[in-house]
Amino acid sequence: MAHLLSTSCSIKLSSSHRPLSQPFRQCPTKCLTFLTPGTSKSPFKRFFLQGGTQQASCVVRATVAISQETPTQSSSDSRQNSSEPSKPKRVMVIGGDGYCGWATALHLSNKGYEVAIVDSLIRRLFDRQLGLDSLTPIASIHNRLRCWRSVTGKTIELYIGDICDFEFLSETFKSFEPDAVVHFGEQRSAPYSMIDRNRAVFTQHNNVIGTLNVLFAIKEFRDQCHLVKLGTMGEYGTPNIDIEEGYITITHNGRTDTLPFPKQASSFYHLSKVHDSNNIAFTCKAWGIRATDLNQGVVYGVRTDETEMHEELCNRLDYDGVFGTALNRFCVQAAVGHPLTVYGKGGQTRGYLDIRDTVQCVELAIANPAQPGEFRVFNQFTEQFSVNELASLVTKAGEKLGLDVKTISVPNPRVEAEEHYYNAKHTKLIELGLEPHLLSESLLDSLLNFAIKFKDRVDTKQIMPSVSWKKIGVKPKTLAA
């Protein structure tokens, strides 16, 4: 149980912090902080740092609410007296300190939702373990939220803890009472899950048990809550048939049925997401949970309307071989004069989307919730590209900026088809109103200029792939610095 420690503080941000698109408005805030150091049953205590030393076996559970000056009506009373019954207002964003989660939390808050971020902050620990860093300097989560409150006058509550700890998650659900949960809170890198046995086990435990805990918390404490779960297009693999949105109707030996689309995961990370999908589908059927699984493609970009309001709201941008995604990596490589690293033949084709469309898709799913007992699957991407096509687009865009962009083929560290058929359906979010930001010359120009702006922060030793699918072993691996 968390104990309450109330403090009052005046937040002032340094005058050196320059607004990106509008004047920064300082204002005093009040801070409420909950702290309980204690023994944790989470996988943190079994987690190894880069040098092989064990992480401390206690976790600090914290809740920080940067609240309004004036008291507001309780959430339960406001919902009972509201004349606007349908649209969920209280949204819990699990993993809200991460790449997609941070942009989503700000977007939803800006749209008028009451938002709470739940995060263990372990993504920042991964960087320290592996000697990595975001291309962009990112502020602490506390400074991020203070800045958001100062710039917009809007509050985002913060609960720091591990969702694999069900006691922590239970108290968080009972405290915030969400109408919708957006679940980004998973280890999201396929290469990370393939570094060694420890990280493979961590990935599956963290992702599968964390999602199971969320399902149980919804059942026990908020049974009408809508779960919006971030899945991945990687669950499907690269079948030699069109990929449908979650389900396929087949006729076999004269009988017809609609079944979940076959899954062909290609890493321990992707396998954890398949497990998640099966567990969510089962609980929708057994318990009547309402859930939407957003099978997301590869995300690119860094800017959203909200993250551009102030430099302390800036999102992270990963370019390394463990967490960096293809288009983001290529733009950073072009900016520093490193050849674009195409894995193998480069025919690997996937669905892609701008991060501005990620936040738009999540909002659409929340505003149009699944019915009780319904497990919906939306394929969340806007365009398909092969790796070679992306490299060609970045090369042309770089040349217009005066960059000498080269491309090299490197041995593929993954086990995957390098030339294959790929045609995935993605109509359901369009039907709900998604207005895509398609990859254009102007967008590539913007992303390249962004990479050039921060190119002095690039560690070129982190560009080449260092994780091999075939060489994964049981010995804890330290990646070369």
Side-chain angles (χ1 to χ4, degrees), residues 75-90:
S75 59
S76 58
D77 289 343
S78 64
R79 283 195 296 275
Q80 288 173 0
N81 298 331
S82 174
S83 60
E84 303 175 3
S86 58
K87 186 178 178 182
K89 291 294 185 182
R90 299 178 64 80

Side-chain angles (χ1 to χ4, degrees), residues 151-307:
V151 169
T152 67
K154 297 177 182 295
T155 297
I156 295 178
E157 294 184 44
L158 173 64
Y159 298 83
I160 297 177
D162 183 5
I163 64 170
C164 290
D165 178 352
F166 190 69
E167 181 184 0
F168 161 77
L169 187 62
S170 300
E171 293 302 312
T172 301
F173 260 76
K174 288 185 282 187
S175 171
F176 184 69
E177 297 183 329
D179 299 307
V181 171
V182 181
H183 185 11
F184 291 102
E186 300 197 322
Q187 193 296 99
R188 55 96 172 166
S189 164
Y192 188 92
S193 75
M194 302 300 293
I195 292 175
D196 54 33
R197 189 203 70 87
N198 278 354
R199 290 174 172 100
V201 171
F202 170 81
T203 297
Q204 297 229 341
H205 184 281
N206 180 79
N207 294 2
V208 176
I209 302 304
T211 298
L212 269 176
N213 279 350
V214 171
L215 293 168
F216 272 97
I218 291 173
K219 177 180 183 293
E220 292 299 315
F221 308 117
R222 299 292 294 172
D223 62 353
Q224 292 302 306
C225 179
H226 177 210
L227 173 62
V228 179
K229 171 68 166 58
L230 263 290
T232 170
M233 290 296 295
E235 292 187 34
Y236 299 122
T238 55
N240 198 37
I241 59 173
D242 291 355
I243 297 173
E244 305 296 332
E245 298 202 59
Y247 299 91
I248 184 170
T249 299
I250 61 173
T251 299
H252 179 65
N253 291 341
R255 301 186 69 84
T256 300
D257 202 352
T258 298
L259 302 169
F261 197 93
K263 307 296 177 68
Q264 300 182 73
S266 59
S267 72
F268 290 119
Y269 155 74
H270 291 103
L271 286 163
S272 76
K273 304 294 267 191
V274 173
H275 247 327
D276 285 342
S277 295
N278 289 332
N279 285 339
I280 298 169
F282 170 73
T283 55
C284 287
K285 183 187 298 184
W287 301 340
I289 284 177
R290 56 176 81 206
T292 301
D293 202 359
L294 298 177
N295 280 343
Q296 182 166 253
V298 183
V299 184
Y300 59 82
V302 65
R303 288 172 166 157
T304 63
D305 290 345
E306 292 77 21
T307 62

Side-chain angles (χ1 to χ4, degrees), residues 282-466:
F282 170 73
T283 55
C284 287
K285 183 187 298 184
W287 301 340
I289 284 177
R290 56 176 81 206
T292 301
D293 202 359
L294 298 177
N295 280 343
Q296 182 166 253
V298 183
V299 184
Y300 59 82
V302 65
R303 288 172 166 157
T304 63
D305 290 345
E306 292 77 21
T307 62
E308 287 205 275
M309 290 180 179
H310 192 279
E311 64 181 9
E312 279 208 329
L313 302 177
C314 186
N315 206 347
R316 68 179 303 123
L317 183 69
D318 298 303
Y319 63 89
D320 57 88
V322 178
F323 289 101
T325 56
L327 185 57
N328 287 350
R329 287 192 297 110
F330 284 173
C331 287
V332 172
Q333 289 168 8
V336 299
H338 191 287
L340 310 188
T341 52
V342 171
Y343 294 173
K345 297 178 180 178
Q348 302 94 318
T349 302
R350 303 290 186 268
Y352 289 81
L353 76 161
D354 190 302
I355 192 167
R356 291 173 295 178
D357 292 336
T358 291
V359 302
Q360 190 184 167
C361 290
V362 172
E363 184 191 1
L364 286 169
I366 295 170
N368 301 275
Q371 296 301 310
E374 181 184 9
F375 178 56
R376 303 186 303 185
V377 181
F378 298 161
N379 290 344
Q380 182 171 302
F381 70 96
T382 57
E383 297 177 276
Q384 294 181 178
F385 298 101
S386 71
V387 174
N388 284 331
E389 288 171 334
L390 289 179
S392 176
L393 289 169
V394 172
T395 299
K396 292 176 182 178
E399 289 173 349
K400 290 182 178 180
L401 295 176
L403 301 175
D404 183 18
V405 184
K406 306 294 185 184
T407 299
I408 59 172
S409 174
V410 301
N412 193 346
R414 305 184 178 214
V415 177
E416 62 183 359
E418 296 177 1
E419 295 176 316
H420 55 85
Y421 177 81
Y422 195 83
N423 185 39
K425 306 292 180 63
H426 55 111
T427 61
K428 293 182 180 178
L429 285 161
I430 297 291
E431 291 167 359
L432 287 181
L434 172 64
E435 299 178 357
H437 297 82
L438 301 181
L439 187 58
S440 62
E441 288 186 7
S442 61
L443 193 149
L444 275 172
D445 181 81
S446 174
L447 190 53
L448 280 166
N449 276 304
F450 196 85
I452 291 169
K453 176 182 177 182
F454 290 103
K455 68 178 184 179
D456 290 343
R457 290 177 52 86
V458 175
D459 179 359
T460 56
K461 296 189 297 295
Q462 305 297 342
I463 288 178
M464 296 299 289
S466 58

